[in-house]
Amino acid sequence: MTTSQVHEERGRHEDEALAGESVISVRGLWKVFGPRAAAVPNSPKLRELGRRDLLDRTGCTAAVRDVGFDVAGGEVFVVMGLSGSGKSTLVRCLTRLIEPTAGEMLFEGDDMLAANHKQLRELRRNKFSMVFQHFGLLPHRRVIDNVGYGLEVKGVGKTERTRRAQEVIELVGLGGNEKSYPDQLSGGMQQRVGLARALAADPDVLFFDEPFSALDPLIRRDMQQEVIRLHREVGKTMVFITHDLSEALKLGDRILIMRDGEMVQLGTGDELVGAPADDYIRDFVRDVPHGDVLTLKWIMRDPRPDDPLDGPELGPDVVVREATRQVLQADKPVKVVSDGELLGIVGDDEILAIVARQESGA
């Protein structure tokens, strides 16, 4: 995909997000480390240099390069990439734990880069919370006091913060562990404490920076399910950083894939798998079971004159895996219908083609 195509795709998704309420809006964001870092985004010649050439010529590293996107209210927005892709630097820019070099960031319509130290403190106390890979729990405090720590900093009285802390402890499945110390808990339980602490302040946005990467696979899967459950119950906007594609596909409403600080593709999971932007994305998703991600809109075909059109109906967003049995058991093609409109049909051939493609690794 060319640079112009990347920007065209970025603009399309930004327009889609802006059709709703954007909690976070990012435009032309750069983070450059090194001497005279500010010169890089302002120089057309330097902007075009690759990572190695930029370092050799200027001594600078562009960790985030001209990134732009919107996050809608209630969305789980996943940023993923390999080590060095810039994903963790990006999330730290979004919270201004590190200062961007150039660009624009709006949070609920307000200019984040214009916020002073006092305003940033208020944002971090009231508007967003972070959950890190390293739990950052206070070892000398019991679970209930760790969970209520943010409320204590905000000046909430002991009775109210204890009530709220107990509420979120139950919400994340830690009931009965209120009086335990962190070192008495497993890694998964400690991460639940970190999650409860982030939820206790009732923020508008939760930022997750690879929170489960240090956990054992089974515990990690449980925590992913916990995030899905909590999102369903509390509906928070979430920005989730990961290097794991399966985690991104499981959690994300949309996924931004980064490489060398740049956006490579932004889309839903089925868009990444069904229409990879380039060979890099194609390699990324090669081993993903297509039937677990693609929806019927990706495999349906136009009806032919001899096709019967009185078969069962399914929606275009039904995942292929979930539709497979119904399609194969039906004696007529399944109609893909949305709002009463026939979009296409799916029969045995379309389902079996997905199976064959996956088995061949194509």
Side-chain angles (χ1 to χ4, degrees), residues 207-356:
F207 293 95
F208 296 83
D209 189 7
E210 300 204 61
F212 310 142
S213 59
L215 300 178
D216 293 336
L218 290 179
I219 299 174
R220 181 172 187 161
R221 185 180 63 189
D222 288 345
M223 289 303 301
Q224 290 166 354
Q225 289 302 127
E226 188 67 17
V227 168
I228 292 170
R229 181 184 70 82
L230 287 171
H231 184 257
R232 185 170 60 245
E233 293 187 13
V234 302
K236 296 293 183 185
T237 304
M238 299 180 177
V239 177
F240 198 101
I241 308 299
T242 183
H243 65 270
D244 186 312
L245 179 61
S246 64
E247 184 168 77
L249 292 170
K250 181 182 293 186
L251 299 178
D253 293 315
R254 288 188 301 148
I255 302 165
L256 166 61
I257 297 184
M258 297 183 65
R259 177 182 56 190
D260 293 337
E262 295 184 279
M263 296 175 64
V264 183
Q265 188 168 359
L266 169 61
T268 59
D270 59 328
E271 288 173 337
L272 299 180
V273 174
D278 60 12
D279 289 342
Y280 182 75
I281 304 296
R282 195 168 292 107
D283 287 342
F284 240 118
V285 303
R286 184 181 303 278
D287 296 326
V288 174
H290 287 198
D292 291 349
V293 178
L294 293 183
T295 55
L296 294 184
K297 67 185 178 185
W298 288 96
I299 68 168
M300 66 185 184
R301 61 173 174 82
D302 293 333
R304 292 188 286 262
D306 58 341
D307 283 324
L309 297 179
D310 55 346
E313 296 182 3
L314 288 173
D317 294 325
V318 175
V319 176
V320 170
R321 173 176 50 80
E322 297 172 354
T324 295
R325 176 173 294 182
Q326 185 169 348
V327 172
L328 295 180
Q329 289 180 345
D331 58 357
K332 298 176 181 178
V334 168
K335 295 186 294 183
V336 182
V337 176
S338 178
D339 295 327
E341 179 186 357
L342 177 63
L343 304 179
I345 63 173
V346 174
D348 294 3
D349 289 346
E350 287 72 40
I351 292 291
L352 296 176
I354 288 289
V355 175

